[in-house]
Each structure stands twice: as C-alpha cells, then as structure tokens.
C-alpha cells in the first residue's frame, strides 16, 4: 500500500520567515495530494491540494509543489505569522482507493 | 452545502464501559464515511471506512466496531473500553468517487479512566 513520509516533525521559524514541509510517497499511481492544518484541539482542515496533472498551485501565502518523477510534494508558507502555528499533515490518495494515506504531521511554531 | 455533525464532543468513560459515537452528514448522498483516531500529539490513524450502507472496512484490529445503518450515518462503538482507547476521534466524509478531499467533523474527545 501507499506510504507517506513527512519531514520535519517540528519546525520553528521567526515571524516573516518562510517555512517548507516536505513529503514523499511510494505509490506512483497516487493522483491527489491534500494538505491539512490542525490547530490545537481542533479538527484538521484542508488548506490546499494538488492533483497529479499539476506541478504547482498557489493560494495567497501558501503554495504546494509536486514532483511526480521523484514522488515528493512540498508545502511552502511565505511571510509566516503566529496564527500559522499548527500541525500540518500531508496526504496522498492511492489510485483506486477511497482513503487518504496521511503523513505523521509537522508541528510548525512561528515566534513573534 | 455539506455539513458533518459528530457527538458527543467530550466524554469520560470508565474502563470496561461501552461506547457509542455518532456522526451524520448533511447535504450530500452516498458519501464515503470514515472514523479516525488521534492519540495525544500523534498522527491520524484510520480505524474504519465505509463506501455504503452496511459496508465497513476495518483498518486496525481492536475492540472497536463501526456500523452504517443509514446512508449518511456512521456509528463507532465498543462493548468494553480500554485505557488505550483514549484519544480524539474524528468522523469524516468524502465524495463517493476516489481521490477526493476528506472533510472532518469537529471530533470527540474520549478519556477512559
């Protein structure tokens, strides 16, 4: 089955810096890659996603890139703010399956 | 628009007691439904998923069970809770076709004492 590795597990940045979280996947047939943000004590919420026919997608300060050849995708957050502090999960959708395989999460801490 | 409701939000249960968590989805038909568990500070563990009424797939062997009595209703149960069952339980849904976004409910905090 699909396996998703996520790095780093913890990331500390200063406000205004950029943050990058990287994920690799094992199933070359996976075709959908969402990113979720989970604030403390709350549910994970989708922040951005990308499909395998697209190499990059942006939404204001957030961007996701996908390299199908290398089987990795990354979340980029620019001009980080304290409210960006949360746990971020990447995921991959194996072809033909109704489930998502999640990475183990990255705790992002943005210091003022 | 679609909404997902999950209850109760929090509960404290003694070891050996039963459990019932309920989830309903509104605004969509034939959704895929999921139960996830998240231990404190840990990742998202898929427990069960369902592609239709009465169709349940179990991802992890344990003392929990799931049922889908109606198209948009998903129930997580246990006959006898263990201390290790404590955690944050999340119901979720996605559209029936594969490769779609999963949307989570607000979660249920379970503490087994």
């Amino acid at each position: 089955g699909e396996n998703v590795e996520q790095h780093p597990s913890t990331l500390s940045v200063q406000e205004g810096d950029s943050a990058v979280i990287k994920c690799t996947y094992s199933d070359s047939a996976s075709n959908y890659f969402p990113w979720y943000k989970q604030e403390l004590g709350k549910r994970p919420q989708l922040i951005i996603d990308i499909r395998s026919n697209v190499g990059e997608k942006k939404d204001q300060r957030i961007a996701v890139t996908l390299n199908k050849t290398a089987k990795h995708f990354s979340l980029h957050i620019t001009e980080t703010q304290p409210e960006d502090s949360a746990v971020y999960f990447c995921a991959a959708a194996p072809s033909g399956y109704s489930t998502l395989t999640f990475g183990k999460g990255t705790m992002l801490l943005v210091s003022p | 628009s679609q909404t997902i409701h999950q209850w109760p939000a929090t509960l404290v249960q003694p070891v050996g007691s039963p459990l019932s968590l309920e989830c309903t989805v509104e605004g969509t038909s034939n959704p895929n439904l999921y139960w996830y568990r998240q231990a404190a500070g840990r990742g998202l563990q898929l427990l069960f998923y369902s592609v239709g009424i009465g169709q349940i797939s179990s991802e992890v062997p344990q003392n929990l069970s799931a049922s889908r009595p109606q198209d948009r209703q998903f129930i997580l149960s246990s006959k006898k809770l263990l201390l290790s069952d404590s955690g944050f339980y999340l119901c979720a849904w996605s559209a029936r076709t594969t490769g779609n976004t999963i949307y989570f409910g607000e979660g249920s905090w379970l503490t087994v004492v």
Side-chain angles (χ1 to χ4, degrees):
Chain A
E2 175 66 281
N3 183 50
V4 176
E5 299 285 340
Q6 182 172 349
H7 299 281
S9 57
T10 305
L11 179 58
S12 296
V13 300
Q14 293 290 320
E15 182 176 1
D17 289 349
S18 294
V20 180
I21 302 171
K22 299 180 179 180
C23 290
T24 60
Y25 61 98
S26 60
D27 185 351
S28 58
S30 287
N31 54 17
Y32 175 60
F33 307 92
W35 286 88
Y36 289 82
K37 175 183 180 182
Q38 186 179 27
E39 297 177 350
L40 188 63
K42 297 188 177 181
R43 60 179 150 182
Q45 293 195 297
L46 179 74
I47 55 171
I48 196 167
D49 57 10
I50 192 167
R51 296 197 180 270
S52 58
N53 59 346
V54 176
E56 182 177 6
K57 184 176 179 180
K58 290 183 179 180
D59 183 2
Q60 299 183 350
R61 297 186 296 107
I62 294 173
V64 58
T65 58
L66 171 64
N67 184 325
K68 288 189 294 182
T69 302
K71 291 188 286 187
H72 67 70
F73 56 112
S74 300
L75 178 70
H76 304 254
I77 305 174
T78 59
E79 301 174 20
T80 54
Q81 301 169 4
E83 52 265 38
D84 294 329
S85 296
V87 178
Y88 291 81
F89 291 97
C90 64
S95 177
Y97 284 84
S98 301
T99 62
L100 291 176
T101 301
F102 284 89
K104 293 187 176 181
T106 296
M107 179 175 290
L108 174 63
L109 303 171
V110 182
S111 303
Chain B
S1 63
Q2 301 87 3
T3 57
I4 179 168
H5 303 283
Q6 180 181 346
W7 68 93
T10 60
L11 64 167
V12 179
Q13 296 284 99
V15 170
S17 64
L19 171 73
S20 181
L21 301 178
E22 193 165 339
C23 171
T24 59
V25 180
E26 297 176 356
T28 187
S29 297
N30 304 315
N32 294 327
L33 296 173
Y34 311 85
W35 279 110
Y36 284 86
R37 177 170 62 195
Q38 191 173 33
R42 304 290 295 276
L44 296 159
Q45 180 187 32
L46 178 63
L47 301 176
F48 301 95
Y49 73 95
S50 171
V51 298
I53 295 174
Q55 300 178 61
I56 309 294
S57 296
S58 174
E59 294 294 305
V60 182
Q62 59 216 329
N63 69 323
L64 299 172
S65 62
S67 61
R68 185 170 178 172
Q70 301 180 41
D71 180 49
R72 291 171 290 170
Q73 183 185 25
F74 207 23
I75 298 171
L76 182 70
S77 304
S78 174
K79 293 182 179 179
K80 291 185 178 181
L81 285 168
L82 306 173
L83 287 174
S84 57
D85 291 324
S86 295
F88 190 42
Y89 288 81
L90 291 153
C91 182
W93 76 275
S94 70
R96 174 53 59 89
T97 54
T98 59
N100 278 293
T101 305
I102 287 178
Y103 299 95
F104 289 92
E106 293 187 351
S108 298
W109 287 97
L110 169 65
T111 302
V112 182
V113 296

